[in-house]
Amino acid sequence: MSRTDDFLKEIIDGNSNKGDYITLGSAMLDGETLPNAFINVPLKTMNRHGLIAGATGTGKTKTLQVLAENLSEKGVPVLLMDIKGDLSGLAQPSPGHPKIDERHEKIGLPFESKSFPVEILTLSEQDGVRLRATVSEFGPVLLSRILDLSEAQSGVVAVIFKYCDDHKLPLLDLKDFKKILQYATQEGKEEFTEAYGRISTASTGAILRKIVELEQQGGERFFGETSFEVDDLLRVDDDGRGFINIIRLTDIQDRPKLFSTFMLSLLAEIYSTFPEQGDSGRPELVLFIDEAHLIFNEASKALLNQIESIVKLIRSKGVGLYFVTQNPTDVPEAVLGQLGLKVQHALRAFTAKDRKAIKLTAQNYPDTEYYDTADVLTSLGIGEALVSALNEKGKPTPLAATMMRAPMSRMDVLTESELGALLAKSKLAKKYNEEVDRESAYEMLNKKIEIAEAEEAKEKARKEKEALEKAESKRRTTRSRSTRQNPIVKVLTSPTVIRSVLGILTKMLK
C-alpha cells in the first residue's frame, strides 16, 4: 500500500461511527484534499468540551458556525457568546458562492443552504432578550470570587447573606447589596454586633469599591429580575432543531469582569439545575465561548479555580464547553487537558515568541508520521485546520489536516430590519424584557430605618414634653411657695392688729 493509502485507511478507520456524528470536512495530505476522507465528530463525545484556535482571519468563526449549525440540525440547542457580532447570520440561509461549491466538490460533500432557529440575547442595552440574575442566586461564594475579595471580606459577604436569609430580605440587585452593607455599619450596627459580631467598616468600604467597579462595567444591568431560566436554553423548534441562542457581547469587550460574572453564574446555574445525564449518546446543550482569552487573562486565581472545577464537572450534566481563541496557550493547562475536540487553524510565526508558542501548540496534538505538526501549523490556508477529536470509545482520532466545510447559513450579520423581525416574534423577549423592581432589601431596609427614625423622633418628643412639663411644674411650685405666708406673719399683718398697734402708738404720742 502507498503512503496515501495507509493514511486513508487510518483516517477512515479512526473516523468510522456507529452512532450519530458531525462531519467537519475531509482530510488533506501533502497539500491535497482527499475526497470522502471525512473527519467526523461523534455526537456522544460533544460533551467532552473542545477548543477552536487560530490566528485572526484563519476561519475560527466559520468553524464555530459549522458546529453550531450541525448541532442544531441534530436537535441539540446551542449557546454562542458573540464577541465580534458576526454570528447573527445563522438566522438566514447562505446566498452561496462559486468558491463554496468548489470547496465542497473537493471535500466530496454536497452543499446545502439553510437558515436556523435563532434567539438573540443581550447582557447590555443592545436589542435582544435581556439576561439577568439576582444577587441571591449568585450566592456569597461566587459573588466573593467575582469581586476578588479577601478571606475577611468574603466572611463579611457570608454574614450579609445570612442576615438577609434570617430576616427574609430579598437581595435582587446591587443597590440591595450596597444598602445592606451600609446598614451593617451604620443604622444596624448594634443589631449586627449583637447577633453576628462586629462588621468592620474597612471591609465594607473595600467591598463597596469592588461593587462600584462592577457597576461601571455594566453590572447593574445584569443583576435584577426577571431572572433568566436556563431551561429556556434547551428549546427546539417545530422541526425538532435545537435553538441557537446568540448572546450579543460586542459592547462589553472592554468589560471582562461582567463577561466573567455572567459566564460563571450561567455555568453554576446550569450545573445546579440540570440532572445527571450519564451516557445519553448526545449532549443536552453546547456552549461556545468566543474570545475566551478575555476571561482567562482578567481572571483572579480564585476565579480560574472555579472555571476549572466547572469544566471538570459540568460534562456529567450533558453540557459541552468550547473555547474559541487565537492560541491554545490562552487557555490554562488544567482546562486545556479537559478538552476532547481540538480544531487548530493556522498560526503565524512572525516573532521568536510566536515560534515558541507554535512548538508548544504542536505538543498538544497526537504524534503522527504523516505531518510535521509545527510546520503544518504555519502553512494551513484559510478554512483549513488540524483536527483531533475523540471517537465513540473516547480515544483520540488520528490527527488530520482538514479542508473544513462551509457554513450553510449566511456568513454575515443580520440587517437592522432582519434583527427587528427576529425579535418581534421572540417568545423569550415577551417573557424577560419587562423590567421588574419589586420590594426587596433596599426598600425594606429604608422602611425599617424610617420606622426606627420615626420611633426615635417620637421618643425624643416624648422626653422633651416630659422635660417641659417638669420645668413648668417646678416653676409653679416655686411661685406658690413665694406667695404663701407664715401664719404668725399673717396674724401680725392682719388689719385688726395693725389698727390696734397704730392706736397704742397714737396714745403714747399724746
Side-chain angles (χ1 to χ4, degrees), residues 7 10 29 365-373 386 398-400:
F7 176 72
E10 182 176 300
L29 184 64
Y365 292 90
D367 292 331
T368 175
E369 62 181 284
Y370 298 101
Y371 304 110
D372 179 336
T373 306
L386 282 173
L399 183 65

Side-chain angles (χ1 to χ4, degrees), residues 348-355 358:
R348 307 298 181 221
F350 296 128
T351 66
K353 185 178 179 181
D354 291 338
R355 290 189 286 275
I358 287 169

Side-chain angles (χ1 to χ4, degrees), residues 288-306:
F288 291 87
I289 303 170
D290 200 3
E291 303 294 334
H293 64 278
L294 291 177
I295 298 172
F296 297 116
N297 290 353
E298 299 292 332
S300 65
K301 185 177 180 180
L303 192 55
L304 284 175
N305 291 338
Q306 184 79 5

Side-chain angles (χ1 to χ4, degrees), residues 125-162:
E125 296 180 1
Q126 289 185 313
D127 292 335
V129 177
R130 288 289 305 280
L131 295 173
R132 297 185 187 91
T134 66
V135 174
S136 292
E137 288 167 341
F138 247 59
V141 175
L142 186 54
L143 186 63
S144 296
R145 287 180 176 174
I146 288 297
L147 297 175
D148 195 19
L149 302 182
S150 68
E151 186 176 346
Q153 293 161 357
S154 298
V156 171
V157 172
V159 169
I160 294 295
F161 271 78
K162 180 68 168 63

Side-chain angles (χ1 to χ4, degrees), residues 27 38 134 163 191 205 207 221 225 231 242 262 274-275 444 456:
F38 297 132
T134 66
Y163 176 86
E191 180 184 356
I207 297 169
R221 297 280 299 173
E225 292 185 313
D231 284 344
F262 164 72
F274 285 15
M444 291 178 177
E456 186 179 338

